[in-house]
Amino acid sequence: MATGVTNHMDTHDTTDVAIIGAGPSGAAAAAWLARRGLHVRVIERSRFPRFSIGESLLPQCMVHLEACGLLEAARAGDFQPKNGAAFTWRGQDTAIDFRDKFSPGPGTTWQVERADFDQRLIEGARQAGAEVEFDTSVEAFVADADHPSLTLVGPSGERRSLRSRFVLDASGYGRVLARLTGLARPSTLESRCALFTHIEDHIVCPRHDREKILIGLHPDHPGIWYWLIPFRNGRASVGVVGDRATLEATGIDDSERLWHFIHAEPRLAELLANAETTRDVGRLEGYSADVQQLHGPGFALLGNAGEFLDPVFSSGVTIALDSALRAAPLVERQLAGEKIDWETQFEQPLRRGVATFREFVDAWYDGRLPRIIFNAQQTPRIRAMISSVLAGYAWDENNPFVAASRRRLNSLAEACSDEASSIISEVC
């Protein structure tokens, strides 16, 4: 798809809102703000379209895409529908259907090739009135409550200053402002490594549901898991996640390591027996990150630019879009003269949902959540509550597994371990 956007910089060096990064959170915030008449400048260091992982969306995303006016732009991509998640471990198979959930809202979404998806979103933001500059990076930042400024480096190495009235950092793994302001801090999550590629999957098994991401657990290493994300037209994304030492203990390169581990999981080995890779195997490690706070004088951090947890439940794009749709209205109100408390109106509400996802990530790696997911004795009501969180509705305080995630997960996992079906039906 042609970008429809150039690197031209008009003569003025000021804007209402500067947004660092043209990924989903940057595009969503840019579209929302531009539609309300604000001058928005998006600064992106790469040239779109560009490859990215994080390809399995959650239904909560659909609410945010509609709110910022980008749903139809995304729908035009004719992406693979997704209605849930399937799980496999040692020959056991189960699934969670997002349409059978506790929380209101959409129960379906898409599985997307991010190069196309992200391009469609940023083009939609441009059509809404946002200006977009590619091949431009941020070298320096001066925080200021009224006029924060960025030092930009263009494609030919030229440096320019851009003053704004507010800055949103949507730079993803680049975490531009977290680095430049000293807000970055190590994540409390264990450091892990992901190996991944795209394939022509050639799957012929009639039991394979292309409308669900398939998540597998290694039969012998509980800390290692897999994803298989089907796309349209017989393509898919496949990856393995684990600690670096275990992944590197086998194979002479990452391609050999990835396929060694895929062949070790019976269901994936069967499904991908005839798969052909369509791109080199990639590696991403040390991706979990956190910050001291998500805002400062004249700026706020969106999505992965602030905190990133883990890819296991595909929460990245959901958190990114949620943060964008929380921040953008606050920016508009602040620029209109209203005093905004970014701690109570942005950071605290956003982090509550992130904390819910974190509890589920912790429960996945320590074994509680797999015990729950593979247990067949839960009531439909409990299953629907878990489905809601995994569908992205991690801010729904009416859901007991949001309001008291750790306690509920602990109680349910204990009941599942004891195979006490009568307890399982009562813990919620």
Side-chain angles (χ1 to χ4, degrees), residues 353-372:
V354 175
T356 300
F357 281 124
R358 178 186 289 271
E359 291 293 345
F360 273 66
V361 169
D362 287 342
W364 174 261
Y365 282 105
D366 66 26
R368 285 175 293 155
L369 197 53
R371 288 200 298 275
I372 293 169

Side-chain angles (χ1 to χ4, degrees), residues 77-81 111 113 210 230-236:
D78 192 29
F79 298 114
Q80 170 64 50
Q111 297 175 146
E113 292 181 79
R210 299 194 73 88
F231 301 138
R232 289 284 199 190
N233 303 320
R235 300 185 306 273

Side-chain angles (χ1 to χ4, degrees), residues 23-25 50-58 61 79 82 109-118 121 173 194-198 213 225 227-231 236-239 241 279 284 287 304 308 310-321:
S25 62
R50 56 89 177 93
F51 175 83
S52 179
I53 60 171
E55 300 140 326
S56 193
L57 307 184
L58 302 182
C61 293
F79 298 114
K82 174 187 177 183
T109 184
W110 301 302
Q111 297 175 146
V112 302
E113 292 181 79
R114 286 285 300 279
D116 186 16
F117 179 75
D118 290 8
L121 295 193
Y173 296 120
L195 306 178
F196 52 87
T197 190
H198 280 186
I213 181 176
W225 63 274
W227 78 72
L228 176 62
I229 302 171
F231 301 138
S237 171
V238 62
V241 177
R279 63 176 293 117
L284 185 62
Y287 41 74
N304 296 355
F308 181 73
D310 190 273
V312 64
F313 296 124
S314 307
S315 62
V317 175
T318 298
I319 293 172
L321 292 175

Side-chain angles (χ1 to χ4, degrees), residues 156-416:
S156 301
E158 72 278 11
R159 285 173 172 78
R160 298 169 280 138
S161 178
L162 175 64
R163 295 183 70 203
S164 67
R165 300 169 65 198
F166 203 90
V167 175
L168 291 172
D169 185 0
S171 59
Y173 296 120
R175 301 183 180 104
V176 172
L177 294 193
R179 291 186 293 103
L180 294 177
T181 60
L183 287 176
R185 69 181 181 188
S187 173
T188 57
L189 295 172
E190 180 181 339
S191 179
R192 296 185 174 88
C193 176
L195 306 178
F196 52 87
T197 190
H198 280 186
I199 57 176
E200 294 286 345
D201 59 56
H202 298 297
I203 295 174
V204 296
C205 177
R207 295 186 295 115
H208 179 57
D209 185 352
R210 299 194 73 88
E211 296 195 2
K212 291 180 175 64
I213 181 176
L214 176 61
I215 298 175
L217 279 166
H218 192 284
D220 302 313
H221 296 282
I224 293 179
W225 63 274
Y226 310 82
W227 78 72
L228 176 62
I229 302 171
F231 301 138
R232 289 284 199 190
N233 303 320
R235 300 185 306 273
S237 171
V238 62
V240 60
V241 177
D243 67 278
R244 180 178 183 176
T246 303
L247 295 186
E248 291 188 343
T250 303
I252 61 173
D253 58 30
D254 285 347
S255 178
E256 188 172 308
R257 293 167 186 138
L258 171 62
W259 288 102
H260 165 81
F261 280 99
I262 288 173
H263 293 147
E265 202 295 305
R267 179 70 175 145
L268 285 172
E270 172 195 7
L271 291 175
L272 302 181
N274 300 312
E276 300 176 86
T277 58
T278 58
R279 63 176 293 117
D280 292 340
V281 171
R283 172 190 285 234
L284 185 62
E285 56 185 324
Y287 41 74
S288 297
D290 200 357
V291 289
Q292 297 173 39
Q293 61 187 45
L294 295 171
H295 63 94
F299 72 92
L301 311 181
L302 307 182
N304 296 355
E307 180 174 8
F308 181 73
L309 298 175
D310 190 273
V312 64
F313 296 124
S314 307
S315 62
V317 175
T318 298
I319 293 172
L321 292 175
D322 188 272
S323 66
L325 270 296
R326 288 180 189 275
L330 298 178
V331 171
E332 182 193 31
R333 288 162 53 190
Q334 179 164 310
L335 297 191
E338 185 176 339
K339 184 175 178 56
I340 300 298
D341 184 338
W342 283 87
E343 179 66 23
T344 60
Q345 294 175 261
F346 173 71
E347 176 144 357
Q348 291 178 10
L350 177 61
R351 284 198 185 268
R352 280 197 287 271
V354 175
T356 300
F357 281 124
R358 178 186 289 271
E359 291 293 345
F360 273 66
V361 169
D362 287 342
W364 174 261
Y365 282 105
D366 66 26
R368 285 175 293 155
L369 197 53
R371 288 200 298 275
I372 293 169
I373 288 172
F374 284 100
N375 189 287
Q377 301 300 318
Q378 300 140 29
T379 66
R381 178 176 170 81
I382 291 177
R383 200 73 166 180
M385 292 174 181
I386 294 170
S387 176
S388 285
V389 175
L390 298 185
Y393 297 97
W395 290 267
D396 179 8
E397 294 286 342
N398 293 319
N399 185 346
F401 281 87
V402 171
S405 301
R406 183 176 304 176
R407 179 167 62 85
R408 299 290 183 176
L409 287 169
N410 285 344
S411 296
L412 188 53
E414 182 179 355
C416 291

